[in-house]
Amino acid sequence: MRKFFSSRNLMSWIWPGIMIFAPGLLCQSQRVAFDHLDTEKGLSNNYVRCIISDSKGFIWIGTEDGLNRYDGHGCKVYKHDPAIPNSLSGNHIQSLYEDHQGILWVGTWLGGLNCFDRQSETFQRFQHDPKIPESLSHNEVVDIYEDHSKILWIATYDGKLNRFDRDTKTFRHFGHDPQNPQSLYGEMIFDIYESPGQPNVLWVGTNWGLNRLDLKSETFKHFKPDPQNPQSLSYREVYTIYEDKAGTLWIGTYGGGLNYFDRQSETFRHFMHDPHDPQSLSNDYVRTIFEDHSRMLWIGTQEGLNLFDRENATFKRIQYDSYNLEGLSNNVIYNIYEDRSGALWVGTYGGGVNRFERRRSVFQHFAHNTHNPQSLSTNTVYALYEDRQGILWIGTESGGLNKFDRKSGAFHTFKNARENPQSLSANTIYSLREDLQGTLWIGTSGPIGGLNRFDRENETFKHFEVKRHDPTTLSSRTIFSLCVDRSGVLWIGTFDKGLNRYERQTQTFKRYQHDPRNPASLSTNTIYSIYEDSQGILWVGTLNGGLNRF
């Protein structure tokens, strides 16, 4: 089922934590983040069997309980209605295909084949009739494919390959004949595929192996597993067939892993799961293979997604993690497709649809993970600051101060410890700033909060006292904003006690506060932001007091 894809403006969500913009294409080392479409967002069922994108820009999703048309905002669901003869013939959707005329074909389990009329939004049914030999061979439709000659092929679960005649609306059947060694070899068909490099050859995957159909002679050549030949097919059940842009034919088996087929020698190289090798294929049950526009090969298995590194013949595994909100929703992968925008759609068996948007993936997301002590301490982030050494500091709500190691991707956290007077004074941090001497200043909040000065060498914190009746001390314990001007002076904006200027030599503070008797005083005492412009003028942003020019 290799189809034609396009896309509209589709889903996007914002999660808490930190997003870091990382320009460039996805590489093997980058994290893959997914958006999710499931029953909570309107999908009719989370067991997704097939996905395509049509020429009109819709995403069609076949589930075990209904056909879904997704427009980027919501799903329109089509289901079988016994009272309506031109409704969908069955709710269990096995396969989808849009042909060269833009006609959508729908294969169902026990309901036969459906042709969708877009104008009337009705379905024409093609079903098995034992009285008509030219009818569909069986009502369990597994796969649909249109070859280069515009001939439509339908695979049914009884092991028959059906060739559809559009003019007569009849089917010609190809099946296994024990008396004919050049007939189809298999009792069940799983996949149909035409190699772009061999337009007169159709590949058919069955429960007995791989078949190559010569469309001119209408004969089949068989490739089967042979225990005596290590270069034969690794396993008899062939679930998926795919040719990449380099012309390599890949075979996915249901129990024997991934196979690379060498056309010249007609031999197979196997890639299988090794429990002792974390860079091996995650699972030997391969259901789908896809190469995206950046020529990355994706393999969907019973145990997650795999990205194949051709140079090193290794795999990067992407698997379900219940603590990762942007991770894969389920490990059983049924299909992988790419739309015109380059977004990758992954259908899972139980987890709905996962969508990987490359443009969105340039943002790397860091969030708190209860199982990882080196993750971000909490997901509510109030302050970010990169110092002159390139170190990224993160101030959080109740999670303390985080120091980020760009190489390892780990976070080191500094928190208040009651028994240690040189620890951070409070764990809620609203502001961070480095002065001209390289000293890091931290503005915290709470009953024991206030201004902190960080000693990098000893990793200790100095706190500054707040005394109501001493105007030379800091005016408040809740610090909203910090600014270091061109002369190196530190300015501190507080929640309720105005603006403070730190006098470095005397280690005292000068307060600037609202005075209702003085129209030239600060307009209000809640300071949200402080900024020095190119002329050395200080601008102070307040709550309900407007902008102040100092």
Side-chain angles (χ1 to χ4, degrees), residues 523-547:
S523 62
T524 186
N525 284 330
T526 300
I527 312 300
Y528 273 160
S529 55
I530 312 168
Y531 181 78
E532 183 188 34
D533 67 18
S534 58
Q535 298 177 352
I537 295 171
L538 207 65
W539 297 87
V540 182
T542 71
L543 172 66
N544 296 327
L547 180 66

Side-chain angles (χ1 to χ4, degrees), residues 2 239-240 252 285-290 298-301 305 333-337:
R2 316 297 171 229
Y239 255 59
T240 185
Y285 292 83
V286 176
R287 285 190 172 272
T288 185
I289 305 166
F290 187 81
W298 300 76
I299 297 94
T301 74
L305 278 171
I333 311 300
Y334 263 50
N335 36 70
I336 309 168
Y337 295 116

Side-chain angles (χ1 to χ4, degrees), residues 23-125:
L25 294 174
L26 176 79
C27 65
Q28 289 268 4
S29 62
Q30 281 182 273
R31 189 185 61 91
V32 178
F34 295 96
D35 294 326
H36 303 129
L37 177 62
D38 53 22
T39 52
E40 291 184 0
K41 296 183 175 73
L43 194 67
S44 65
N45 185 268
N46 284 334
Y47 292 85
V48 176
R49 307 287 301 200
C50 46
I51 305 171
I52 70 166
S53 177
D54 69 13
S55 54
K56 307 295 183 183
F58 294 108
I59 301 293
W60 293 87
I61 303 161
T63 75
E64 291 195 354
D65 188 25
L67 175 65
N68 296 251
R69 187 182 72 188
Y70 183 69
D71 62 3
H73 303 285
C75 292
K76 179 171 183 178
V77 179
Y78 299 86
K79 285 193 175 184
H80 173 66
D81 186 340
I84 303 176
N86 58 4
S87 67
L88 190 64
S89 65
N91 290 332
H92 188 140
I93 313 301
Q94 286 281 105
S95 53
L96 294 167
Y97 195 92
E98 184 185 42
D99 67 16
H100 71 286
Q101 296 175 324
I103 296 171
L104 183 70
W105 297 87
V106 184
T108 69
W109 187 258
L110 298 178
L113 180 68
N114 294 253
C115 177
F116 181 59
D117 186 316
R118 294 178 189 271
Q119 290 188 341
S120 62
E121 294 207 330
T122 58
F123 296 86
Q124 181 183 1
R125 302 175 184 177

